[in-house]
Amino acid sequence: MKGRLRYYWMFLRESLWFVPLLMSIAATALAVLLVTEGEVLPDGAAELWLIYSGDPESARQLLGALLSGIITMTSLVVSITVVVLTLAAGQLGPRLVRNFIGDPQTQTVLGLFVATILYLLVVFRSIGAPSDNAIPHFAISVGTALSALCLFVLLFFVHKLARSIMYDNAVRDVSHQLRASIDLLLPEEGTPEMPPPAPADAARIGFGRDGYIQAADFDMLVRIACDADAVIWLDVRPGRFVLARGCHVAVHPPDACSDALREALEKAFIIGTERTPTQDLEYGIRQLVEMALRALSPGINDVYTALTVIDMLSSALSRIFDRPLEAAMLRDARQRVRVVRDVTNHDGLVRAAFDQLRQAGAGMPAVLIRMTEALAALAPYACDDARRRPLLDQITLIEMEGKRADFLDRDREALFARCRNARESLTAQVGR
């Protein structure tokens, strides 16, 4: 249930309409309240220059001018946002557009403009004929203040968007989100367990549709297994692509695999057309890698961004190495194993972080040297062979790339020296 709720919460949080909708509802309610309850000015309030105290005709002219200006500024904000999203998709990668859309400051700015328009519309239509003495003075004053606030927020929004498409800031934001996912998905304490393989006679079933597994309700899977008095093996995990006729779930004993169980299993998974960071630990790593690969492309050739990404990847891996991995076996209330799931391991995470970068930077000594230094920096976190072996394998592959590449002798010697130092740092951790 927690995974499903988190998926829907992230869907709402990353929607460009959710926060503006809430702000619009609040602005409309505020306008109705001030129009109905704030028509009469207290004694002496008309002397305050902050409070509007004009006649109905002047009020309609003022609100009309404010509406026209705010609608124009809203069009400008939307146009700027579309331009920035286009640039971000072209330079940083289309999958990073999700980060810009889900930014709470961007959503709040758009919500403020839309809410101000709705507020002014409600107040504007409440003003009667010139002979009508009922004027919502406080409502008009608040509308003027909101319009002035939108003017300053527009300047802030332009500044923010200009900085958001800088590579360093984009890398920083993605790395922050990756660290948040690590803290949320990985437990702080735990003992790794080796899950048993599925029996050969277990019943194999699929999900009935193609797509990426975006989230799985593991609590629901445990309940399903308890109701059927069975054990469920999952051959896939969130982030993986499944085929409609694939065999991705095993149920034992096979007699427990009924039509009702199949339907319940399908409801326990959310399958869509794209990967999401809800329960996918590799999602943020692949976002960082994509940014580095685009930076290393011949059209951009920005080595410094790739070096920054390598630093952020090493920081994320140090955080991962400091925690145990997700539990592979889920138990019921009586501590009986009910669900055996496929979880990512340290080797898979290290490969996801460095394999493509090593291949793309094979002809760039600076990239390979920085990658070797990042692997050496992870030595204090490689406290066992499961963490140490993937790092040593990457160093061996980097050495092979250095031997094949057409480097200057000085660059090759510098790379091999880093590789020796990194291997010595990692092997020195054995027995500690």
Side-chain angles (χ1 to χ4, degrees), residues 5-132:
L5 291 177
R6 182 168 178 253
Y7 169 80
Y8 289 123
W9 168 244
M10 293 189 68
F11 172 77
L12 291 176
R13 192 182 66 181
E14 295 176 354
S15 300
L16 201 58
W17 52 266
F18 181 62
V19 172
L21 176 62
L22 295 180
M23 296 181 67
S24 299
I25 294 174
T28 303
L30 177 62
V32 172
L33 177 64
L34 293 180
V35 165
T36 55
E37 302 294 336
E39 293 183 353
V40 181
L41 282 176
D43 296 337
E47 299 176 359
L48 300 175
W49 67 274
L50 291 175
I51 304 299
Y52 177 80
S53 58
D55 56 77
E57 183 60 28
S58 299
R60 293 181 65 88
Q61 293 178 1
L62 174 62
L63 291 176
L66 292 178
L67 263 174
S68 177
I70 295 301
I71 291 175
T72 302
M73 284 195 292
T74 304
S75 302
L76 178 62
V77 167
V78 173
S79 300
I80 294 174
T81 304
V82 172
V83 171
V84 170
L85 292 179
T86 303
L87 291 174
Q91 295 182 4
L92 304 177
R95 276 158 290 278
L96 290 174
V97 173
R98 173 193 294 269
N99 296 22
F100 290 92
I101 294 178
D103 183 75
Q105 293 180 349
T106 301
Q107 296 176 351
T108 302
V109 169
L110 294 177
L112 176 62
F113 279 91
V114 175
T116 302
I117 291 175
L118 291 177
Y119 178 90
L120 293 175
L121 283 174
V122 173
V123 177
F124 183 79
R125 68 184 298 273
S126 68
I127 300 176
S131 58
D132 191 354

Side-chain angles (χ1 to χ4, degrees), residues 182-232:
I182 293 171
D183 294 340
L184 183 63
L185 296 177
L186 296 185
E188 295 184 0
E189 297 179 354
T191 303
E193 298 177 303
M194 183 62 66
D201 61 340
R204 300 275 178 172
I205 59 177
F207 295 109
R209 58 189 186 275
D210 301 341
Y212 291 96
I213 297 181
Q214 297 178 335
D217 191 340
F218 295 109
D219 294 335
M220 183 177 179
L221 289 172
V222 172
R223 292 196 301 270
I224 293 172
C226 290
D227 294 340
D229 194 17
V231 181
I232 298 174

